[in-house]
Amino acid sequence: MNHVLTVLVNNQMGVLNRITALFLKRGFNIQSLTVGPTETEGLSRMTIVIHAEDDRIVEQVIKQLHKQVDVLKVFDITSQPMVARELVVIKVNSSVQNRGEVTTLIEPFRASIIDVGRESVTVQATGRSDKIDALIALLRPYGIRELARTGIAAFTRDSETSSEVIRLKQLNLLPI
């Protein structure tokens, strides 16, 4: 099972290196890692996705993260209502003859073509990881030349929104 951790850290040189070294030393594999500045100057938010079947491993990771001087807060938001998005950029083979086909194919994903070459187009899309996986699977038969994924950026939903989502799910009024 994938676990999503958000980690609030000081935005200082070497912090990312120390965090990733911690995972390396303990033998924890990072599935995805995104880092960026927050709304507060001097702080960055890391979204780390790790795969662990055992919750004790996740607890161990969180304890190790808390020992880092520049780590201010660590949250495991896996089981909480969250907003999580990922960006992908895909350069796919596309001749002039099948360009319309590729364009039609990416429309339901709200993806867009951001660059056009003689024999390829570059597509960008944002969304949940499963949506990104589906888009990649559909474009793969055309021949993917290059692909770059950011990994997810996530945080929890507003508590009022979360309780409303739970209420709507219980009433089977929300199809997610």
Side-chain angles (χ1 to χ4, degrees), residues 90-100 102 113 115-123 139-146:
I90 309 166
K91 185 183 287 184
V92 61
N93 291 329
S94 175
S95 63
V96 174
Q97 291 80 21
N98 73 358
R99 195 152 293 164
V102 170
I113 294 176
D115 190 41
V116 177
R118 290 179 57 143
E119 294 296 323
S120 68
V121 293
T122 302
V123 175
L139 291 177
R140 193 169 301 284
Y142 294 91
I144 293 175
R145 291 183 177 188
E146 294 179 66

Side-chain angles (χ1 to χ4, degrees), residues 120-131:
S120 68
V121 293
T122 302
V123 175
Q124 79 170 7
T126 59
R128 296 186 339 231
S129 294
D130 57 341
K131 174 184 163 185

Side-chain angles (χ1 to χ4, degrees), residues 78-97:
T78 306
S79 59
Q80 298 178 24
M82 71 172 109
V83 177
R85 293 293 181 264
E86 184 174 3
L87 168 71
V88 65
V89 180
I90 309 166
K91 185 183 287 184
V92 61
N93 291 329
S94 175
S95 63
V96 174
Q97 291 80 21

Side-chain angles (χ1 to χ4, degrees), residues 11-168:
N11 187 355
Q12 295 184 358
M13 184 171 39
V15 172
L16 178 60
N17 187 36
R18 286 190 289 278
I19 298 294
T20 55
L22 179 150
F23 280 82
L24 175 67
K25 286 180 192 170
R26 303 292 178 188
F28 302 134
N29 187 32
I30 297 173
Q31 298 284 94
S32 157
L33 171 67
T34 57
V35 183
T38 67
E39 69 284 357
T40 305
E41 190 171 323
L43 298 181
S44 289
R45 181 181 316 277
M46 296 180 168
T47 304
I48 303 171
V49 179
I50 59 172
H51 181 81
E53 296 298 331
D54 190 348
D55 287 342
R56 290 178 298 182
I57 292 173
V58 178
E59 287 178 32
Q60 182 67 23
V61 168
I62 292 171
K63 286 178 183 174
Q64 294 298 320
L65 286 169
H66 278 295
K67 289 182 180 177
Q68 298 291 313
V69 172
D70 288 310
V71 171
L72 305 175
K73 294 180 181 177
V74 180
F75 301 100
D76 181 358
I77 63 171
T78 306
S79 59
Q80 298 178 24
M82 71 172 109
V83 177
R85 293 293 181 264
E86 184 174 3
L87 168 71
V88 65
V89 180
I90 309 166
K91 185 183 287 184
V92 61
N93 291 329
S94 175
S95 63
V96 174
Q97 291 80 21
N98 73 358
R99 195 152 293 164
E101 187 178 328
V102 170
T103 302
T104 303
L105 188 72
I106 67 171
E107 282 178 2
F109 294 89
R110 295 186 200 151
S112 59
I113 294 176
I114 58 171
D115 190 41
V116 177
R118 290 179 57 143
E119 294 296 323
S120 68
V121 293
T122 302
V123 175
Q124 79 170 7
T126 59
R128 296 186 339 231
S129 294
D130 57 341
K131 174 184 163 185
I132 301 298
D133 291 339
L135 177 62
I136 292 168
L138 286 174
L139 291 177
R140 193 169 301 284
Y142 294 91
I144 293 175
R145 291 183 177 188
E146 294 179 66
L147 186 145
R149 293 177 79 155
T150 61
I152 70 165
F155 48 76
T156 58
R157 289 183 178 268
D158 186 314
S159 60
E160 289 181 25
T161 303
S162 299
S163 61
E164 182 65 14
V165 168
I166 291 168
R167 188 184 72 77
L168 291 173

